Amino acid sequence: MTNFRRLLEVLADGGVEFILIGGVAAAAYGAVRNTLDLDVVYRRTSANLDRLAAALAPLVPYPRGAPPGLPFVWDARTIQNGLNFTLATSLGDLDLLGEITAGGPYEQLIGKTVELEVFGRTYRCIELSELIRVKRAVGRPKDFEAIAELEKLLELAPRK
Amino acid sequence: MGRSDDEWVDPVIEVYKRDVDVTLLQSHLRKTPTERLEALQSMHELVEELRRGVAARRRGP
Protein backbone atom coordinates (compact mmCIF):
# COMPACT_ATOMS: atom_id res chain seq x y z
CA MET A 1 0.00 0.00 0.00
CA THR A 2 1.37 3.39 -0.95
CA ASN A 3 1.53 6.14 1.67
CA PHE A 4 1.41 9.21 -0.57
CA ARG A 5 1.82 11.71 2.24
CA ARG A 6 4.87 10.04 3.78
CA LEU A 7 6.57 9.50 0.42
CA LEU A 8 6.17 13.19 -0.40
CA GLU A 9 7.49 14.15 3.02
CA VAL A 10 10.52 11.88 2.68
CA LEU A 11 11.43 13.52 -0.63
CA ALA A 12 10.85 17.02 0.73
CA ASP A 13 12.72 16.36 3.97
CA GLY A 14 15.66 15.11 1.91
CA GLY A 15 15.75 18.35 -0.05
CA VAL A 16 15.01 16.54 -3.31
CA GLU A 17 14.00 18.76 -6.23
CA PHE A 18 11.02 17.11 -7.89
CA ILE A 19 7.73 17.81 -9.65
CA LEU A 20 4.55 16.00 -8.75
CA ILE A 21 2.84 14.53 -11.82
CA GLY A 22 0.50 11.66 -12.66
CA GLY A 23 -2.49 10.38 -10.75
CA VAL A 24 -1.66 12.05 -7.45
CA ALA A 25 -1.32 15.42 -9.20
CA ALA A 26 -4.65 14.74 -10.91
CA ALA A 27 -6.23 13.90 -7.55
CA ALA A 28 -4.89 17.12 -6.06
CA TYR A 29 -6.75 18.98 -8.82
CA GLY A 30 -9.97 17.13 -7.97
CA ALA A 31 -9.86 13.96 -10.07
CA VAL A 32 -11.67 11.09 -8.42
CA ARG A 33 -9.86 8.21 -10.09
CA ASN A 34 -7.76 5.91 -7.95
CA THR A 35 -4.03 5.59 -8.45
CA LEU A 36 -1.63 3.08 -6.98
CA ASP A 37 1.68 4.90 -7.09
CA LEU A 38 3.33 8.28 -6.71
CA ASP A 39 4.87 9.70 -9.90
CA VAL A 40 7.48 12.44 -9.78
CA VAL A 41 9.94 14.01 -12.21
CA TYR A 42 13.25 14.54 -10.43
CA ARG A 43 16.05 16.95 -11.33
CA ARG A 44 19.11 15.18 -12.68
CA THR A 45 21.83 17.34 -11.23
CA SER A 46 24.64 15.62 -9.38
CA ALA A 47 23.65 17.21 -6.06
CA ASN A 48 20.01 16.21 -6.48
CA LEU A 49 20.93 12.63 -7.35
CA ASP A 50 22.90 12.47 -4.10
CA ARG A 51 19.93 13.86 -2.15
CA LEU A 52 17.52 11.47 -3.87
CA ALA A 53 19.71 8.47 -3.16
CA ALA A 54 20.13 9.43 0.49
CA ALA A 55 16.47 10.29 1.06
CA LEU A 56 15.13 7.02 -0.31
CA ALA A 57 17.83 4.66 0.98
CA PRO A 58 16.01 4.00 4.29
CA LEU A 59 12.96 2.92 2.27
CA VAL A 60 14.99 0.16 0.58
CA PRO A 61 13.92 0.90 -3.02
CA TYR A 62 13.85 -2.07 -5.40
CA PRO A 63 12.71 -2.36 -9.03
CA ARG A 64 8.99 -3.09 -8.90
CA GLY A 65 8.04 -6.50 -10.21
CA ALA A 66 11.64 -7.67 -10.53
CA PRO A 67 12.60 -11.04 -9.09
CA PRO A 68 14.22 -10.85 -5.67
CA GLY A 69 17.97 -11.14 -5.33
CA LEU A 70 19.04 -8.87 -8.17
CA PRO A 71 22.32 -7.01 -7.56
CA PHE A 72 20.45 -3.71 -7.38
CA VAL A 73 22.28 -1.01 -5.46
CA TRP A 74 20.36 2.14 -4.66
CA ASP A 75 22.84 5.00 -4.92
CA ALA A 76 23.52 8.12 -6.96
CA ARG A 77 25.54 6.14 -9.50
CA THR A 78 22.63 3.82 -10.20
CA ILE A 79 20.33 6.80 -10.68
CA GLN A 80 22.90 8.49 -12.92
CA ASN A 81 23.21 5.37 -15.05
CA GLY A 82 19.44 5.05 -15.40
CA LEU A 83 16.67 7.52 -16.09
CA ASN A 84 13.20 6.33 -15.15
CA PHE A 85 12.72 3.99 -12.21
CA THR A 86 9.56 2.17 -11.18
CA LEU A 87 10.28 1.30 -7.58
CA ALA A 88 8.73 -0.60 -4.73
CA THR A 89 9.64 0.97 -1.38
CA SER A 90 8.70 0.37 2.22
CA LEU A 91 6.23 3.26 1.85
CA GLY A 92 4.75 1.94 -1.38
CA ASP A 93 5.19 2.30 -5.10
CA LEU A 94 7.15 5.25 -6.42
CA ASP A 95 7.89 6.14 -10.05
CA LEU A 96 10.95 8.35 -10.39
CA LEU A 97 11.12 9.87 -13.83
CA GLY A 98 14.15 11.66 -15.24
CA GLU A 99 11.98 12.85 -18.10
CA ILE A 100 8.52 12.25 -19.48
CA THR A 101 7.21 11.91 -23.00
CA ALA A 102 6.11 15.29 -24.39
CA GLY A 103 7.07 16.97 -21.11
CA GLY A 104 10.82 16.51 -21.08
CA PRO A 105 13.13 16.67 -18.08
CA TYR A 106 12.72 18.69 -14.87
CA GLU A 107 14.23 21.86 -16.35
CA GLN A 108 11.76 21.84 -19.23
CA LEU A 109 8.77 21.05 -17.06
CA ILE A 110 9.46 23.44 -14.19
CA GLY A 111 8.00 26.39 -16.10
CA LYS A 112 4.70 24.51 -16.38
CA THR A 113 4.23 23.94 -12.66
CA VAL A 114 2.42 25.58 -9.78
CA GLU A 115 3.10 25.57 -6.07
CA LEU A 116 0.56 23.38 -4.35
CA GLU A 117 0.05 23.25 -0.61
CA VAL A 118 -0.81 19.80 0.64
CA PHE A 119 -0.38 18.20 4.05
CA GLY A 120 1.01 21.47 5.36
CA ARG A 121 3.87 21.57 2.84
CA THR A 122 4.37 23.26 -0.49
CA TYR A 123 5.17 21.06 -3.48
CA ARG A 124 5.84 21.79 -7.13
CA CYS A 125 3.03 20.26 -9.16
CA ILE A 126 2.54 20.07 -12.92
CA GLU A 127 -0.13 22.51 -14.14
CA LEU A 128 -3.49 20.92 -14.90
CA SER A 129 -3.39 22.07 -18.53
CA GLU A 130 0.12 20.64 -18.94
CA LEU A 131 -0.91 17.35 -17.34
CA ILE A 132 -3.70 17.11 -19.92
CA ARG A 133 -1.36 18.05 -22.78
CA VAL A 134 1.20 15.43 -21.78
CA LYS A 135 -1.39 12.70 -21.37
CA ARG A 136 -2.89 13.61 -24.72
CA ALA A 137 0.51 13.49 -26.39
CA VAL A 138 1.25 10.05 -24.98
CA GLY A 139 -2.07 8.89 -26.39
CA ARG A 140 -2.56 5.70 -24.39
CA PRO A 141 -6.11 4.38 -24.62
CA LYS A 142 -6.04 3.63 -20.89
CA ASP A 143 -5.70 7.37 -20.27
CA PHE A 144 -8.78 8.41 -22.26
CA GLU A 145 -11.13 8.37 -19.27
CA ALA A 146 -8.59 10.21 -17.13
CA ILE A 147 -8.08 12.88 -19.81
CA ALA A 148 -11.84 13.35 -20.13
CA GLU A 149 -12.10 13.84 -16.37
CA LEU A 150 -9.16 16.29 -16.31
CA GLU A 151 -10.64 18.32 -19.17
CA LYS A 152 -13.92 18.53 -17.27
CA LEU A 153 -11.99 19.75 -14.23
CA LEU A 154 -10.32 22.39 -16.36
CA GLU A 155 -13.73 23.53 -17.61
CA LEU A 156 -15.04 23.68 -14.03
CA ALA A 157 -12.03 25.57 -12.69
CA PRO A 158 -12.61 29.28 -12.00
CA ARG A 159 -11.30 31.47 -14.80
CA LYS A 160 -8.42 33.78 -13.88
CA MET B 1 -4.60 28.28 -40.26
CA GLY B 2 -4.11 25.32 -37.89
CA ARG B 3 -5.18 25.12 -34.27
CA SER B 4 -2.77 24.75 -31.41
CA ASP B 5 -2.59 21.52 -29.44
CA ASP B 6 -4.34 23.22 -26.53
CA GLU B 7 -7.33 24.16 -28.68
CA TRP B 8 -7.60 20.82 -30.40
CA VAL B 9 -10.80 18.98 -29.55
CA ASP B 10 -10.35 15.23 -29.62
CA PRO B 11 -13.66 13.65 -30.64
CA VAL B 12 -12.78 10.45 -28.78
CA ILE B 13 -12.18 12.33 -25.54
CA GLU B 14 -15.40 14.28 -26.11
CA VAL B 15 -17.29 10.97 -26.12
CA TYR B 16 -15.61 9.92 -22.88
CA LYS B 17 -16.49 13.29 -21.32
CA ARG B 18 -20.20 12.47 -21.59
CA ASP B 19 -19.74 9.80 -18.91
CA VAL B 20 -17.83 11.95 -16.43
CA ASP B 21 -19.76 12.45 -13.19
CA VAL B 22 -19.60 16.24 -12.93
CA THR B 23 -21.40 16.35 -9.57
CA LEU B 24 -18.66 14.18 -8.10
CA LEU B 25 -16.00 16.50 -9.50
CA GLN B 26 -17.83 19.55 -8.14
CA SER B 27 -17.95 17.89 -4.75
CA HIS B 28 -14.18 17.32 -4.88
CA LEU B 29 -13.54 20.87 -6.02
CA ARG B 30 -15.12 22.13 -2.80
CA LYS B 31 -12.34 20.35 -0.89
CA THR B 32 -8.80 21.54 -0.33
CA PRO B 33 -5.97 19.74 -2.16
CA THR B 34 -5.03 18.08 1.15
CA GLU B 35 -8.59 16.80 1.61
CA ARG B 36 -8.56 15.49 -1.96
CA LEU B 37 -5.33 13.55 -1.36
CA GLU B 38 -6.70 12.23 1.93
CA ALA B 39 -9.70 10.93 -0.01
CA LEU B 40 -7.35 9.35 -2.55
CA GLN B 41 -5.41 7.67 0.28
CA SER B 42 -8.63 6.31 1.80
CA MET B 43 -9.80 4.97 -1.55
CA HIS B 44 -6.39 3.41 -2.16
CA GLU B 45 -6.47 1.70 1.24
CA LEU B 46 -9.99 0.41 0.60
CA VAL B 47 -8.97 -1.05 -2.77
CA GLU B 48 -5.92 -2.72 -1.21
CA GLU B 49 -8.08 -4.15 1.58
CA LEU B 50 -10.58 -5.52 -0.95
CA ARG B 51 -7.73 -7.07 -2.94
CA ARG B 52 -6.42 -8.77 0.17
CA GLY B 53 -9.90 -10.06 0.94
CA VAL B 54 -10.34 -11.47 -2.57
CA ALA B 55 -6.90 -13.08 -2.48
CA ALA B 56 -7.64 -14.67 0.91
CA ARG B 57 -10.97 -15.99 -0.37
CA ARG B 58 -9.28 -17.52 -3.41
CA ARG B 59 -6.76 -19.27 -1.18
CA GLY B 60 -9.66 -20.80 0.72
CA PRO B 61 -9.98 -21.83 4.37
Side-chain angles (χ1 to χ4, degrees), chain A residues 138-159:
Chain A
V138 173
R140 297 180 299 190
K142 72 168 192 168
D143 284 337
F144 288 173
E145 284 183 29
I147 295 168
E149 187 181 44
L150 292 171
E151 290 196 357
K152 277 285 182 190
L153 282 167
L154 196 61
E155 290 168 16
L156 292 169
R159 301 281 173 206

mmCIF file of all heavy atoms in Angstrom, chain A residues 138-159:
data_model
loop_
_atom_site.group_PDB
_atom_site.id
_atom_site.type_symbol
_atom_site.label_atom_id
_atom_site.label_comp_id
_atom_site.label_asym_id
_atom_site.label_seq_id
_atom_site.Cartn_x
_atom_site.Cartn_y
_atom_site.Cartn_z
ATOM 1 N N VAL A 138 0.877 11.456 -25.129
ATOM 2 C CA VAL A 138 1.254 10.052 -24.980
ATOM 3 C C VAL A 138 0.239 9.168 -25.695
ATOM 4 O O VAL A 138 0.596 8.183 -26.346
ATOM 5 C CB VAL A 138 1.384 9.678 -23.485
ATOM 6 C CG1 VAL A 138 1.613 8.187 -23.302
ATOM 7 C CG2 VAL A 138 2.522 10.478 -22.853
ATOM 8 N N GLY A 139 -1.033 9.534 -25.579
ATOM 9 C CA GLY A 139 -2.070 8.894 -26.386
ATOM 10 C C GLY A 139 -2.401 7.452 -26.040
ATOM 11 O O GLY A 139 -2.820 6.682 -26.897
ATOM 12 N N ARG A 140 -2.218 7.074 -24.768
ATOM 13 C CA ARG A 140 -2.558 5.701 -24.389
ATOM 14 C C ARG A 140 -4.065 5.570 -24.190
ATOM 15 O O ARG A 140 -4.667 6.371 -23.456
ATOM 16 C CB ARG A 140 -1.856 5.319 -23.074
ATOM 17 C CG ARG A 140 -0.355 5.322 -23.147
ATOM 18 C CD ARG A 140 0.246 4.937 -21.830
ATOM 19 N NE ARG A 140 -0.127 5.862 -20.763
ATOM 20 C CZ ARG A 140 0.415 5.852 -19.558
ATOM 21 N NH1 ARG A 140 1.330 4.963 -19.249
ATOM 22 N NH2 ARG A 140 0.037 6.722 -18.637
ATOM 23 N N PRO A 141 -4.663 4.562 -24.801
ATOM 24 C CA PRO A 141 -6.113 4.375 -24.622
ATOM 25 C C PRO A 141 -6.530 4.301 -23.155
ATOM 26 O O PRO A 141 -7.598 4.775 -22.787
ATOM 27 C CB PRO A 141 -6.387 3.053 -25.346
ATOM 28 C CG PRO A 141 -5.332 2.975 -26.392
ATOM 29 C CD PRO A 141 -4.108 3.598 -25.765
ATOM 30 N N LYS A 142 -5.674 3.751 -22.306
ATOM 31 C CA LYS A 142 -6.044 3.626 -20.892
ATOM 32 C C LYS A 142 -6.159 4.992 -20.205
ATOM 33 O O LYS A 142 -6.717 5.091 -19.123
ATOM 34 C CB LYS A 142 -5.052 2.732 -20.146
ATOM 35 C CG LYS A 142 -3.689 3.341 -19.901
ATOM 36 C CD LYS A 142 -2.907 2.486 -18.923
ATOM 37 C CE LYS A 142 -1.673 3.223 -18.440
ATOM 38 N NZ LYS A 142 -1.018 2.602 -17.308
ATOM 39 N N ASP A 143 -5.623 6.022 -20.844
ATOM 40 C CA ASP A 143 -5.697 7.372 -20.266
ATOM 41 C C ASP A 143 -6.920 8.162 -20.731
ATOM 42 O O ASP A 143 -7.155 9.263 -20.247
ATOM 43 C CB ASP A 143 -4.439 8.177 -20.627
ATOM 44 C CG ASP A 143 -3.224 7.762 -19.813
ATOM 45 O OD1 ASP A 143 -3.418 7.209 -18.711
ATOM 46 O OD2 ASP A 143 -2.103 7.984 -20.282
ATOM 47 N N PHE A 144 -7.687 7.628 -21.681
ATOM 48 C CA PHE A 144 -8.779 8.414 -22.263
ATOM 49 C C PHE A 144 -9.774 8.897 -21.201
ATOM 50 O O PHE A 144 -10.206 10.044 -21.196
ATOM 51 C CB PHE A 144 -9.522 7.613 -23.337
ATOM 52 C CG PHE A 144 -8.727 7.425 -24.614
ATOM 53 C CD1 PHE A 144 -9.205 6.609 -25.626
ATOM 54 C CD2 PHE A 144 -7.510 8.070 -24.809
ATOM 55 C CE1 PHE A 144 -8.479 6.433 -26.800
ATOM 56 C CE2 PHE A 144 -6.775 7.897 -25.973
ATOM 57 C CZ PHE A 144 -7.268 7.075 -26.964
ATOM 58 N N GLU A 145 -10.161 7.979 -20.308
ATOM 59 C CA GLU A 145 -11.126 8.366 -19.267
ATOM 60 C C GLU A 145 -10.523 9.422 -18.341
ATOM 61 O O GLU A 145 -11.208 10.363 -17.933
ATOM 62 C CB GLU A 145 -11.548 7.144 -18.451
ATOM 63 C CG GLU A 145 -12.519 6.243 -19.181
ATOM 64 C CD GLU A 145 -12.980 5.082 -18.313
ATOM 65 O OE1 GLU A 145 -13.024 5.229 -17.082
ATOM 66 O OE2 GLU A 145 -13.280 4.025 -18.877
ATOM 67 N N ALA A 146 -9.250 9.242 -18.018
ATOM 68 C CA ALA A 146 -8.586 10.208 -17.133
ATOM 69 C C ALA A 146 -8.496 11.582 -17.802
ATOM 70 O O ALA A 146 -8.729 12.613 -17.153
ATOM 71 C CB ALA A 146 -7.193 9.706 -16.767
ATOM 72 N N ILE A 147 -8.178 11.604 -19.089
ATOM 73 C CA ILE A 147 -8.082 12.883 -19.814
ATOM 74 C C ILE A 147 -9.447 13.569 -19.840
ATOM 75 O O ILE A 147 -9.550 14.785 -19.616
ATOM 76 C CB ILE A 147 -7.554 12.658 -21.251
ATOM 77 C CG1 ILE A 147 -6.117 12.142 -21.220
ATOM 78 C CG2 ILE A 147 -7.628 13.952 -22.057
ATOM 79 C CD1 ILE A 147 -5.617 11.616 -22.557
ATOM 80 N N ALA A 148 -10.483 12.787 -20.090
ATOM 81 C CA ALA A 148 -11.841 13.350 -20.129
ATOM 82 C C ALA A 148 -12.171 13.993 -18.780
ATOM 83 O O ALA A 148 -12.719 15.102 -18.717
ATOM 84 C CB ALA A 148 -12.844 12.256 -20.469
ATOM 85 N N GLU A 149 -11.826 13.308 -17.708
ATOM 86 C CA GLU A 149 -12.098 13.836 -16.372
ATOM 87 C C GLU A 149 -11.293 15.117 -16.116
ATOM 88 O O GLU A 149 -11.819 16.107 -15.602
ATOM 89 C CB GLU A 149 -11.751 12.777 -15.328
ATOM 90 C CG GLU A 149 -12.152 13.166 -13.920
ATOM 91 C CD GLU A 149 -11.760 12.106 -12.906
ATOM 92 O OE1 GLU A 149 -10.629 11.583 -12.990
ATOM 93 O OE2 GLU A 149 -12.580 11.796 -12.039
ATOM 94 N N LEU A 150 -10.016 15.111 -16.520
ATOM 95 C CA LEU A 150 -9.165 16.286 -16.309
ATOM 96 C C LEU A 150 -9.661 17.474 -17.132
ATOM 97 O O LEU A 150 -9.621 18.624 -16.668
ATOM 98 C CB LEU A 150 -7.713 15.950 -16.666
ATOM 99 C CG LEU A 150 -7.011 14.959 -15.732
ATOM 100 C CD1 LEU A 150 -5.670 14.526 -16.309
ATOM 101 C CD2 LEU A 150 -6.830 15.551 -14.347
ATOM 102 N N GLU A 151 -10.126 17.206 -18.345
ATOM 103 C CA GLU A 151 -10.637 18.315 -19.169
ATOM 104 C C GLU A 151 -11.912 18.895 -18.553
ATOM 105 O O GLU A 151 -12.143 20.106 -18.606
ATOM 106 C CB GLU A 151 -10.862 17.839 -20.608
ATOM 107 C CG GLU A 151 -9.534 17.560 -21.304
ATOM 108 C CD GLU A 151 -9.645 17.467 -22.811
ATOM 109 O OE1 GLU A 151 -10.768 17.567 -23.345
ATOM 110 O OE2 GLU A 151 -8.602 17.301 -23.463
ATOM 111 N N LYS A 152 -12.736 18.035 -17.974
ATOM 112 C CA LYS A 152 -13.922 18.532 -17.268
ATOM 113 C C LYS A 152 -13.514 19.395 -16.077
ATOM 114 O O LYS A 152 -14.115 20.437 -15.810
ATOM 115 C CB LYS A 152 -14.782 17.356 -16.781
ATOM 116 C CG LYS A 152 -15.703 16.788 -17.837
ATOM 117 C CD LYS A 152 -16.881 17.721 -18.073
ATOM 118 C CE LYS A 152 -17.833 17.125 -19.103
ATOM 119 N NZ LYS A 152 -18.851 18.123 -19.533
ATOM 120 N N LEU A 153 -12.482 18.962 -15.371
ATOM 121 C CA LEU A 153 -11.990 19.749 -14.228
ATOM 122 C C LEU A 153 -11.495 21.114 -14.678
ATOM 123 O O LEU A 153 -11.727 22.122 -14.014
ATOM 124 C CB LEU A 153 -10.862 18.991 -13.506
ATOM 125 C CG LEU A 153 -11.299 17.868 -12.578
ATOM 126 C CD1 LEU A 153 -10.115 17.008 -12.172
ATOM 127 C CD2 LEU A 153 -11.997 18.424 -11.330
ATOM 128 N N LEU A 154 -10.816 21.125 -15.822
ATOM 129 C CA LEU A 154 -10.316 22.395 -16.358
ATOM 130 C C LEU A 154 -11.486 23.319 -16.718
ATOM 131 O O LEU A 154 -11.436 24.524 -16.470
ATOM 132 C CB LEU A 154 -9.447 22.131 -17.588
ATOM 133 C CG LEU A 154 -8.549 23.258 -18.056
ATOM 134 C CD1 LEU A 154 -7.535 23.652 -16.998
ATOM 135 C CD2 LEU A 154 -7.808 22.855 -19.330
ATOM 136 N N GLU A 155 -12.544 22.735 -17.266
ATOM 137 C CA GLU A 155 -13.730 23.529 -17.610
ATOM 138 C C GLU A 155 -14.415 24.080 -16.353
ATOM 139 O O GLU A 155 -14.971 25.164 -16.358
ATOM 140 C CB GLU A 155 -14.724 22.660 -18.389
ATOM 141 C CG GLU A 155 -14.263 22.298 -19.796
ATOM 142 C CD GLU A 155 -15.129 21.218 -20.430
ATOM 143 O OE1 GLU A 155 -16.241 20.959 -19.933
ATOM 144 O OE2 GLU A 155 -14.675 20.619 -21.424
ATOM 145 N N LEU A 156 -14.371 23.283 -15.273
ATOM 146 C CA LEU A 156 -15.044 23.678 -14.031
ATOM 147 C C LEU A 156 -14.229 24.666 -13.208
ATOM 148 O O LEU A 156 -14.760 25.337 -12.329
ATOM 149 C CB LEU A 156 -15.333 22.439 -13.170
ATOM 150 C CG LEU A 156 -16.372 21.454 -13.710
ATOM 151 C CD1 LEU A 156 -16.354 20.161 -12.907
ATOM 152 C CD2 LEU A 156 -17.763 22.070 -13.675
ATOM 153 N N ALA A 157 -12.909 24.715 -13.484
ATOM 154 C CA ALA A 157 -12.031 25.570 -12.688
ATOM 155 C C ALA A 157 -12.381 27.029 -12.907
ATOM 156 O O ALA A 157 -12.717 27.426 -14.025
ATOM 157 C CB ALA A 157 -10.576 25.326 -13.069
ATOM 158 N N PRO A 158 -12.318 27.854 -11.833
ATOM 159 C CA PRO A 158 -12.611 29.277 -11.998
ATOM 160 C C PRO A 158 -11.628 29.922 -12.956
ATOM 161 O O PRO A 158 -10.433 29.627 -12.920
ATOM 162 C CB PRO A 158 -12.450 29.847 -10.587
ATOM 163 C CG PRO A 158 -11.980 28.748 -9.717
ATOM 164 C CD PRO A 158 -11.923 27.488 -10.496
ATOM 165 N N ARG A 159 -12.157 30.750 -13.838
ATOM 166 C CA ARG A 159 -11.305 31.474 -14.801
ATOM 167 C C ARG A 159 -10.526 32.557 -14.082
ATOM 168 O O ARG A 159 -11.051 33.232 -13.209
ATOM 169 C CB ARG A 159 -12.164 32.113 -15.900
ATOM 170 C CG ARG A 159 -12.978 31.107 -16.678
ATOM 171 C CD ARG A 159 -12.124 30.402 -17.702
ATOM 172 N NE ARG A 159 -12.889 29.320 -18.334
ATOM 173 C CZ ARG A 159 -12.329 28.252 -18.873
ATOM 174 N NH1 ARG A 159 -11.034 28.094 -18.851
ATOM 175 N NH2 ARG A 159 -13.059 27.308 -19.441
#
